[in-house]
Each structure stands twice: as structure tokens, then as C-alpha cells.
């Protein structure tokens, strides 16, 4: 019978309160990371696009989003509006259950609601990196709202709504396909990366790209943002265990290892190919490894996590350059890092998963055959296709109604001033009267 009522475990609840705060930190950290990567005339717009994901998602989540993502399952595809409307049945006591409150596992259900909302927020914000310098802010707000409902919520149900967690039955990927995606390689990373590519194609290239140099205006911002994201990722991954236990500890160590190995791999490739390791490459390498370990953190050993991170860092360092060959303007490498590393992380489970890890599954290289690998591949393709088609429909609808692209003069003179009537940096000296 759902929801379950009982007394929450104090240790698990304390850990999950910390994990929720860490996950919520990731969206402002992403704003800092992306903000440093754009030109100085675009930094406020980019940070606004990221931060706006927080209120957009939370309002949707409270009213009906959580219910659709984690409510009573319909054919493995979507939850029920009637399960948790307005977060009903997720908080407060019931006289019929004594002192008990609604629980998810051993923690208060309302805390699980907030924790999962953080996932949705950062996923929406990730897409903004592909459309830097050229999208109308109001169009972004409408797009983010529609995308969170039409694209993120269904895929979150498929991947995160495990049977017995919040309802008896769960989404088809976790329940029927039995693919492993512990913290969102599909629902978060592949979902956002594929959608970012479609939206970038609809918007077209930035004016002057790729001819004009469009270098990051503040690399310390980028480095600091990457560090804060790495910090928040421990809540993102280890918090998904929903308990303060040994599994969470292994997952936290794997998260550290994959980020470290990916940074080293990216810098090695950069040194070999371009002659110098860069701070920008170090920050990007860390993110690539964290993306890849997101789905696989419960399925691999600490040594396996190093392999996942190394492959992700090396592959993504090549992948970000494909936009110049194929001429699509993915401004801040959402496709090259998040989509590509998300795919790497999902498929590496089928290769290097070990039954000694919390997930308890062997991959191909550990004698498990191809069984888990094909399940991972099906999950990747399913989310990829759905995200691209659904995003395409949303993008087309907005393009031919309210429009997507900012005015030409806003792009040339600075989208911060054109869209927000503000400037990030005031270099004009002030004088006394």
C-alpha cells in the first residue's frame, strides 16, 4: 500500500538533507561554469538561463510534475496525476498511522521529492549551454517549461521510478528492460545532450561562428564552477542510494575516481594533440568523467571507475571538435561532453560492471556476456530518439509562433544588454560631483 507511513531513520534523513543541498548547489555551479565559458557580453544571460531552471522546475514539480514522474504507473510510460497532486500524500501525519509520516524507503517522502527536483533542475539548465549568445530569454523560459513536462518527466519515470519505491509498479526501463542507470546517464545526460543538439540546430549558428574567436571570458569562473559541480556530484550520485550505508560510500569513491581519471586522460590527449594541457581542458575533463560515472557508479569497482573516467575523458576530448567538422554550433559542448560521456558511461556498464559492486551485475569483461550490454544500448537509443523527436516538436512550435532567436543587434552588441538591460562588468570610472 502506497504511500508507506512510518518513522524516518535519523541517519539516512540527515545524509539525504545534505545530499539534497549538494544537488541543489549544482545548478548555480553550472551557471558559474557556463558563465565563464561565454563572452563577457553574454555572461548574465547564460547564468539567468541556468538559474531560471530552479523556479520553473519547482513550480511544475509541486503542481503535477512529481506525480507524473513517480505516481502510479501507466504501462511503464508515465505516472498518474492522481497519485501526488500538489504533493499530496508526501508530507504530514495521518491519524490512522499514529506518529508515522509518508516515507520513501527510510526517509521522509517530501525530502525525496525535493532531492529529485534537483535532478530535473540541473538537467533543464544543461541544455542552455548549446544555445548561448543567441536565444531569446522569454523563449527559453517557455521552452524550459514545456521540455521539463514533455521530455524530462516521462524519461525520469522510465529510469528512476523503480517498482516499490513510491508505487507498486515502475517505469519500463528500470522495471522491464532492467538497464542500469543509477543516477541519470539517460534521463539527465543523454536526454539533455540530445535535446541540446536539436535546439542548437533549430536556432542556427552564432553570428561569426566558427570564423570569429569566441573564447571563454573568465577561466577562473570555469574552474570554480567545475569544482563546485564535482562537489555537488557526490550528493547527486551517492545520495541516490537514499541511505547512509556502504553502497553510498562506494559510489562516492567511484565518483571521485572517475572525475580524476577523466581529467588526466583529457589533459594527456590535449598535450599529445595540441602541445599544451589547459585549465579549460582540465575542467571539461572532470565534467566528462562525472557524467560517465553517473549511470555506472553503483555497477563498477573503484578500479572500474578509473576505466570509465579515462575512456570518457579521452573520447569527449575528441568529440567536442566534431562540431567544427559537422558545422553544428553546440556553443559550450553540451553534446560533446554530456551526450557523448553519458553514452560512454551507459555502455561501459555492459563491459566493466562487476557483481562485487552494489548493483551486483557482471559485464562482458567480467564474464557476464552480452546480456547487460544490449539492455544498456536499448535504453540509450530509446531515450535518444524520444528526446530528439519531442524536443524537435517543441522547438518547431516555438520557432513558428513566438520565435526562438534574439534580434540581430542584441547578438552583436551583447545579449546581456539586449535581453536584460544589464552588463556584467562596468569598466567606466565614476566621478564625484
Amino acid at each position: 500500500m502506497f504511500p508507506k507511513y512510518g518513522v524516518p531513520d535519523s541517519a539516512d534523513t540527515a545524509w539525504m538533507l545534505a545530499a539534497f543541498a549538494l544537488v541543489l548547489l549544482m545548478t548555480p555551479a553550472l551557471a558559474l561554469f557556463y558563465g565563464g565559458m561565454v563572452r563577457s557580453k553574454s555572461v548574465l544571460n547564460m547564468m539567468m538561463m541556468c538559474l531560471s531552471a530552479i523556479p520553473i522546475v519547482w513550480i511544475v514539480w509541486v503542481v503535477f510534475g512529481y506525480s507524473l514522474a513517480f505516481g502510479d504507473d501507466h504501462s511503464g510510460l508515465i505516472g498518474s496525476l492522481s497519485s501526488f497532486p500538489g504533493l499530496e500524500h508526501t508530507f504530514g501525519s495521518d491519524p490512522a498511522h499514529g506518529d508515522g509520516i509518508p516515507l520513501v524507503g527510510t526517509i521522509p517522502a517530501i525530502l525525496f521529492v525535493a532531492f529529485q527536483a534537483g535532478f530535473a533542475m540541473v538537467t533543464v539548465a544543461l541544455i542552455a549551454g548549446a544555445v548561448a549568445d543567441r536565444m531569446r530569454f522569454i523563449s527559453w523560459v517557455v521552452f524550459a517549461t514545456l521540455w521539463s513536462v514533455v521530455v524530462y518527466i516521462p524519461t525520469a519515470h522510465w529510469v528512476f521510478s523503480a517498482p516499490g519505491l513510491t508505487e507498486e509498479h515502475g517505469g519500463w526501463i528500470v522495471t522491464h528492460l532492467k538497464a542500469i542507470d543509477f543516477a541519470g546517464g539517460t534521463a539527465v545526460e543523454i536526454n539533455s545532450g540530445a535535446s541540446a543538439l536539436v535546439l542548437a540546430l533549430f536556432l542556427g549558428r552564432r553570428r561569426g561562428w566558427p570564423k570569429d574567436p569566441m573564447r571563454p571570458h573568465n577561466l577562473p569562473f570555469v574552474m570554480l564552477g567545475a569544482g563546485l559541480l564535482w562537489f555537488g556530484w557526490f550528493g547527486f550520485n551517492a545520495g541516490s542510494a537514499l541511505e547512509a550505508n556502504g553502497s553510498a560510500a562506494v559510489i562516492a569513491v567511484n565518483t571521485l575516481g572517475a572525475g580524476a581519471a577523466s581529467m588526466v586522460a583529457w589533459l594527456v590527449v590535449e598535450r599529445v594533440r595540441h602541445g599544451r594541457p589547459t585549465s579549460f581542458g582540465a575542467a571539461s575533463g572532470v565534467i566528462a568523467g562525472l557524467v560517465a560515472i553517473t549511470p555506472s557508479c553503483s555497477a563498477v569497482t573503484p578500479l572500474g571507475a578509473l576505466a570509465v573516467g579515462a575512456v570518457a575523458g579521452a573520447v569527449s576530448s575528441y568529440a567536442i571538435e566534431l562540431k567544427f567538422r559537422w558545422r553544428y554550433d553546440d556553443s559550450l559542448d553540451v553534446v560533446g561532453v554530456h551526450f557523448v560521456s553519458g553514452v560512454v558511461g551507459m555502455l561501459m556498464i555492459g563491459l566493466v560492471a562487476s557483481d562485487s559492486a552494489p548493483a551486483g551485475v557482471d559485464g562482458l569483461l567480467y564474464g557476464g556476456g552480452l546480456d547487460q550490454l544490449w539492455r544498456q544500448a536499448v535504453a540509450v537509443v530509446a531515450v535518444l530518439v524520444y528526446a530528439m523527436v519531442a524536443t524537435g516538436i517543441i522547438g518547431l512550435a516555438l520557432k513558428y509562433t513566438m520565435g526562438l532567436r534574439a534580434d540581430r543587434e542584441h547578438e552583436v552588441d551583447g545579449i546581456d544588454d539586449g535581453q536584460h538591460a544589464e552588463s556584467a562588468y562596468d569598466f567606466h570610472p565614476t566621478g564625484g560631483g
Side-chain angles (χ1 to χ4, degrees):
M1 183 68 181
F2 292 90
K4 299 175 181 177
Y5 283 78
V7 178
D9 181 272
S10 297
D12 292 341
T13 301
W15 158 235
M16 289 306 300
L17 284 167
F20 156 63
L22 289 170
V23 171
L24 192 61
L25 171 69
M26 293 178 71
T27 301
L30 183 69
L32 192 62
F33 180 69
Y34 277 174
M37 292 172 71
V38 297
R39 291 171 290 178
S40 60
K41 63 182 181 179
S42 306
V43 55
L44 293 179
N45 177 256
M46 175 49 57
M47 298 184 81
M48 280 283 286
M49 291 173 78
C50 291
L51 290 175
S52 66
I54 296 176
I56 289 169
V57 167
W58 183 246
I59 292 169
V60 169
W61 205 245
V62 169
V63 176
F64 61 85
Y66 176 76
S67 191
L68 287 177
F70 290 95
D72 193 23
D73 176 70
H74 292 293
S75 303
L77 299 177
I78 196 69
S80 172
L81 278 172
S82 62
S83 293
F84 309 107
L87 301 188
E88 188 177 342
H89 309 307
T90 65
F91 64 96
S93 59
D94 185 335
H97 297 87
D99 295 331
I101 63 171
L103 300 179
V104 172
T106 60
I107 66 171
I110 192 67
L111 178 55
F112 179 76
V113 171
F115 178 70
Q116 282 294 330
F119 281 59
M121 292 167 187
V122 74
T123 305
V124 171
L126 284 170
I127 301 172
V131 298
D133 295 338
R134 61 198 190 278
M135 188 170 184
R136 295 176 63 211
F137 183 71
I138 187 62
S139 299
W140 164 257
V141 170
V142 176
F143 171 83
T145 304
L146 293 174
W147 190 88
S148 66
V149 175
V150 176
V151 184
Y152 180 79
I153 287 174
T155 53
H157 181 75
W158 303 349
V159 175
F160 295 140
S161 185
L165 182 65
T166 58
E167 291 287 355
E168 184 177 356
H169 304 290
W172 73 272
I173 287 181
V174 65
T175 304
H176 304 296
L177 181 62
K178 298 189 185 303
I180 296 173
D181 185 357
F182 190 73
T186 52
V188 176
E189 309 297 352
I190 293 172
N191 210 4
S192 60
S195 299
L197 175 59
V198 172
L199 191 59
L201 292 174
F202 280 170
L203 276 166
R205 304 173 191 168
R206 287 167 290 176
R207 299 191 185 279
W209 186 90
K211 181 180 178 181
D212 297 338
M214 298 184 182
R215 299 185 183 92
H217 90 283
N218 194 323
L219 285 172
F221 270 24
V222 176
M223 296 287 283
L224 180 58
L228 290 173
L229 281 167
W230 201 348
F231 182 59
W233 230 292
F234 292 109
F236 199 80
N237 285 355
S240 294
L242 302 182
E243 295 180 351
N245 57 17
S247 294
V250 171
I251 290 163
V253 168
N254 285 346
T255 302
L256 173 64
S262 182
M263 176 180 170
V264 171
W266 190 298
L267 292 178
V268 168
V269 171
E270 203 171 45
R271 175 67 175 82
V272 170
R273 297 189 70 202
H274 304 297
R276 291 183 178 86
T278 66
S279 60
F280 187 79
S284 299
V286 167
I287 302 305
L290 295 172
V291 168
I293 202 62
T294 293
S296 58
C297 55
S298 70
V300 299
T301 64
L303 189 60
L306 296 181
V308 170
V311 172
V315 172
S316 286
S317 67
Y318 283 96
I320 62 169
E321 298 182 11
L322 292 177
K323 66 182 182 183
F324 298 103
R325 180 181 303 174
W326 294 344
R327 314 294 281 185
Y328 64 89
D329 188 7
D330 171 22
S331 310
L332 307 184
D333 300 320
V334 184
V335 179
V337 174
H338 292 273
F339 173 74
V340 170
S341 291
V343 172
V344 168
M346 284 292 292
L347 297 183
M348 286 288 284
I349 293 172
L351 297 177
V352 299
S354 169
D355 68 356
S356 62
V361 173
D362 278 328
L364 178 63
L365 300 183
Y366 282 78
L370 297 174
D371 182 67
Q372 195 61 46
L373 183 59
W374 76 260
R375 297 177 191 276
Q376 302 301 119
V378 170
V380 167
V381 173
V383 172
L384 165 64
V385 171
Y386 179 75
M388 295 189 77
V389 171
T391 303
I393 294 171
I394 297 170
L396 281 173
L398 294 181
K399 183 175 182 178
Y400 292 108
T401 52
M402 65 186 303
L404 290 172
R405 189 145 184 166
D407 296 337
R408 178 185 177 89
E409 58 267 27
H410 292 177
E411 294 185 51
V412 174
D413 297 336
I415 202 164
D416 284 354
D417 183 60
Q419 292 290 303
H420 308 288
E422 294 178 303
S423 175
Y425 307 102
D426 186 358
F427 297 112
H428 299 286
T430 59

